[in-house]
Amino acid sequence: MTPWWQEAVLYQIYPRSFADSDGDGMGDLPGITSRLDYVRDLGVDGIWVSPFYLSPMNDAGYDVADYRRVDPVFGSTADADALLRRAHELGLKVLVDLVPNHTSSEHAWFQAALAAGPGSPERARYHFRDGQGRGGAQPPNRWRSVFGGPGWTRVVEPDGTPGQWYLHLFDVTQPDLNWEHPQVRAEFLDILRYWLDRGVDGFRVDVAHALVKAPGLPDYDDAPEAPLTAAGDERPPTHLAPMWDQDGVHEIYRSWRALLDSYGEPARILCAEAWVHPVERAMLYVRPDEMHQSFAFDFLDTPWRAADLREVIAHDRRALASVGAAPTWVLSNHDVVRTASRLGLPAGSPRPNGLGPRSSVRPDPGLGLRRARAAATLMLALPGAAYLYQGEELGLPDHLELPDEVRQDPVWVRTEHRELGRDGCRVPLPWVGDAPSLGFGPSERTWLPQPPEYAALAVDQQVGRPGSTLELYRRLLTLRREHGVGSAALTELTGYGDEVIAYRLDGRSGALAVVVNLGASGVELPGGSTLLVASDPLVAGRLPTDTAAWVLLAEAP
Ligand code: GLC
Ligand code: MG
């Protein structure tokens, strides 16, 4: 028996933008609960809910001020309990988000650290250092923030003098915790217990590769990102940077796994958000005594070219199998341009951090959607687990015309507007084509404006409509379950040429094949096979460009 999490499909809910129950323009927990039937009907196994904890919302809730409290904008603890109860009634697992690398600067620990001054035990839970140069006016080292600008900020000491610096790999309001400190370790075990006791089925672990820093915080200059192609991964290994993928993180995850295992069966799980390469390092997070899942971000980052995709899929599968794990596929989340926009860019162009009216590249929406549908048809055929991001099942593009004044991602400010950031993929969902806020909530209000093209893509416009992206996802998820695709044996089908991806899948009931055509001319499906689903219609019986299909293979005579 394959454990549930090795073949599960989980649906990411971004609470701010899923459904608003009270009309304040911000999604909330009662909104999620009211729409869980939709998620069940989609055919997934569970949800991962992005942070809903008390937060000043400088990074949309990834800046947590209290890990055990629900932010009032999202509801109450009772609302969280109700969400869990309803999800479980519907047979859905619930993963919550854990943000262990940093707290909000409004967290009681950081406030205490500021008040207590240099050398205090309160400061030891974070990374406080004296500055360099005359009067300590220069940061302790050259580390940069992922969101732009320096990775250090200077504080004003309680006596009013310019003082020490603290490390923040993300926003200024997200001070990094010092994971060498036993209190930090104990506190997070306790936070895990708190949510496990409330009944959650697991955790998605935010920037899981960042918790431990190289001893002494050695200086480091960011290297420019090199591309990932079939010719080979030219990017320097992540762990060469002293703030990423340090060996010490694994001991932490082993202790968490032991705690989760103590809750018995069915397993409660951990899923790593670890942007780590090469996969020989990434796979260490899913060794048998560590996490259960880790997002295959290499797959998400691979250009829309058959040879590149085949290579990445094969490489990920091989590496993970060597530690007894299955891959966790993903195409989209709240940090990246939506698939239907991203795949509409020229293949091989670097993944942009946001797209807007003045971007140098503009996606071709028709092409992007066509490829996104083919990509989902490919992904959901791959054995292992998979994550969907709310709205990808509707084929939503990014909001490409967001006005500058409404942008909220700290990336936009910290890069001094060089990068647009992630707001475009975080726009409130359209539920009803002809309703205020497109059915997102009971009022006109939405915390980010919705683009006009979302009306035609609303859930009520797609439900039951043959050929809609929503019906494509439902069909794929039904077939995936029926045939046990998530735990099928996969073999590459040869003879299709370089521009086609083709696999045979031996699952619970017969043999299937998935064929994806990235070439210019139509492709013949396997002889004698029966078509089960195609991402777009066949043309003259052949699979056209940028289309994927699942077929039932004819029994061998
Ligand atoms: C992760 C989250 C992202 C957040 C960052 C800092 O990458 O997915 O949204 O900004 O961590 O917490
Ligand atoms: Mg609300």
Side-chain angles (χ1 to χ4, degrees):
M1 255 292 272
T2 311
W4 71 266
W5 43 270
Q6 270 195 7
E7 55 178 338
V9 179
L10 291 138
Y11 180 87
Q12 180 191 355
I13 292 184
Y14 193 68
R16 304 184 123 210
S17 300
F18 189 66
D20 176 21
S21 72
D22 58 3
D24 67 351
M26 191 66 84
D28 43 48
L29 299 185
I32 297 174
T33 306
S34 73
R35 296 279 189 190
L36 283 176
D37 291 68
Y38 166 80
V39 178
R40 192 265 323 268
D41 292 347
L42 184 59
V44 297
D45 301 287
I47 55 174
W48 145 37
V49 191
S50 279
F52 48 79
Y53 318 110
L54 189 73
S55 168
M57 306 286 169
N58 290 317
D59 186 22
Y62 282 94
D63 47 327
V64 181
D66 186 335
Y67 292 84
R68 297 175 187 80
R69 273 177 64 191
V70 174
D71 194 280
V73 85
F74 294 131
S76 64
T77 302
D79 293 329
D81 289 342
L83 188 162
L84 273 162
R85 211 167 33 241
R86 182 68 188 137
H88 287 159
E89 273 167 22
L90 293 169
L92 296 169
K93 303 279 186 188
V94 180
L95 269 59
V96 296
D97 215 308
L98 187 76
V99 189
N101 179 65
H102 42 265
T103 68
S104 159
S105 52
E106 291 186 13
H107 190 282
W109 277 7
F110 193 73
Q111 288 301 313
L114 290 180
S120 61
E122 287 83 355
R123 285 209 177 170
R125 295 188 290 223
Y126 293 90
H127 295 282
F128 277 88
R129 295 285 185 282
D130 294 332
Q132 300 193 70
R134 186 154 13 131
Q138 298 302 316
N141 69 29
R142 289 193 300 272
W143 292 13
R144 310 277 301 164
S145 154
V146 175
F147 290 170
W152 296 87
T153 290
R154 194 170 197 187
V155 304
V156 176
E157 297 301 353
D159 66 4
T161 59
Q164 287 194 304
W165 298 70
Y166 66 89
L167 176 68
H168 52 87
L169 292 182
F170 295 91
D171 191 50
V172 192
T173 61
Q174 291 168 303
D176 281 53
L177 285 163
N178 171 17
W179 272 87
E180 304 304 332
H181 200 299
Q183 283 178 17
V184 172
R185 295 193 181 218
E187 172 66 0
F188 273 86
L189 282 169
D190 203 60
I191 293 165
L192 288 170
R193 259 184 235 112
Y194 176 85
W195 288 104
L196 289 166
D197 291 344
R198 296 213 93 81
V200 306
D201 301 290
F203 304 87
R204 174 267 191 188
V205 181
D206 193 61
V207 281
H209 56 314
L211 274 51
V212 172
K213 279 78 179 173
L217 311 183
D219 221 339
Y220 178 76
D221 291 306
D222 290 335
E225 277 286 316
L228 167 71
T229 67
D233 191 345
E234 287 156 30
R235 300 169 297 176
T238 312
H239 69 277
L240 296 185
M243 64 292 269
W244 305 125
D245 191 29
Q246 300 298 299
D247 292 334
V249 296
H250 296 291
E251 166 189 331
I252 300 170
Y253 301 136
R254 280 194 284 270
S255 74
W256 293 6
R257 177 65 179 261
L259 173 66
L260 267 67
D261 283 351
S262 76
Y263 281 77
E265 290 292 328
R268 318 273 188 118
I269 69 160
L270 297 165
C271 176
E273 186 218 15
W275 296 83
V276 168
H277 49 259
V279 69
E280 286 68 24
R281 294 278 307 181
M283 74 191 196
L284 301 178
Y285 290 77
V286 287
R287 286 177 288 188
D289 58 349
E290 295 196 33
M291 302 227 196
H292 303 73
Q293 303 177 329
S294 180
F295 294 115
F297 287 126
D298 280 355
F299 177 66
L300 183 157
D301 267 331
T302 298
W304 186 247
R305 284 193 295 254
D308 296 323
L309 287 163
R310 272 198 311 265
E311 170 60 24
V312 162
I313 293 167
H315 197 95
D316 272 8
R317 283 170 43 81
R318 218 179 307 125
L320 269 72
S322 75
V323 292
T328 299
W329 307 105
V330 64
L331 285 166
S332 185
N333 62 37
H334 65 293
D335 291 328
V336 298
V337 169
R338 282 184 174 279
T339 322
S341 297
R342 186 161 48 83
L343 294 182
L345 298 171
S349 43
R351 178 159 59 76
N353 194 351
L355 287 169
R358 295 183 305 278
S359 295
S360 56
V361 284
R362 295 279 290 173
D364 171 337
L367 182 69
L369 179 57
R370 188 177 179 85
R371 289 181 171 169
R373 292 167 55 113
T377 306
L378 166 63
M379 177 176 81
L380 291 173
L382 298 175
Y387 279 70
L388 310 177
Y389 173 50
Q390 64 179 40
E392 78 166 83
E393 79 282 14
L394 304 174
L396 297 185
D398 259 40
H399 193 323
L400 300 172
E401 313 292 336
L402 272 184
D404 292 349
E405 332 59 275
V406 305
R407 293 194 180 278
Q408 300 204 9
D409 188 348
V411 166
W412 166 246
V413 175
R414 288 192 59 82
T415 62
E416 291 165 345
H417 306 177
R418 276 189 308 280
E419 288 182 11
L420 296 170
R422 303 160 292 176
D423 294 308
C425 68
R426 298 175 172 181
V427 171
L429 285 196
W431 293 92
V432 183
D434 181 20
S437 68
L438 301 177
F440 169 64
S443 77
E444 299 268 347
R445 296 171 66 189
T446 56
W447 70 280
L448 284 174
Q450 298 162 305
E453 62 273 22
Y454 275 25
L457 296 171
V459 172
D460 77 325
Q461 302 297 301
Q462 297 202 40
V463 167
R465 186 167 62 75
S468 73
T469 304
L470 178 56
E471 291 303 333
L472 170 66
Y473 270 77
R474 286 186 171 183
R475 175 95 177 119
L476 290 168
L477 289 161
T478 306
L479 287 168
R480 184 182 153 96
R481 195 182 290 258
E482 266 172 32
H483 292 275
V485 170
S487 54
L490 178 149
T491 39
E492 206 164 309
L493 287 174
T494 50
Y496 278 93
D498 202 43
E499 296 184 313
V500 175
I501 304 169
Y503 301 122
R504 178 192 167 106
L505 300 154
D506 288 281
R508 272 197 280 279
S509 41
L512 308 188
V514 56
V515 183
V516 194
N517 181 12
L518 290 85
S521 43
V523 165
E524 206 74 59
L525 291 170
S529 66
T530 317
L531 183 67
L532 295 173
V533 60
S535 61
D536 270 295
L538 301 194
V539 176
R542 297 164 77 93
L543 190 66
T545 303
D546 291 330
T547 309
W550 294 15
V551 299
L552 192 60
L553 292 173
E555 289 295 335

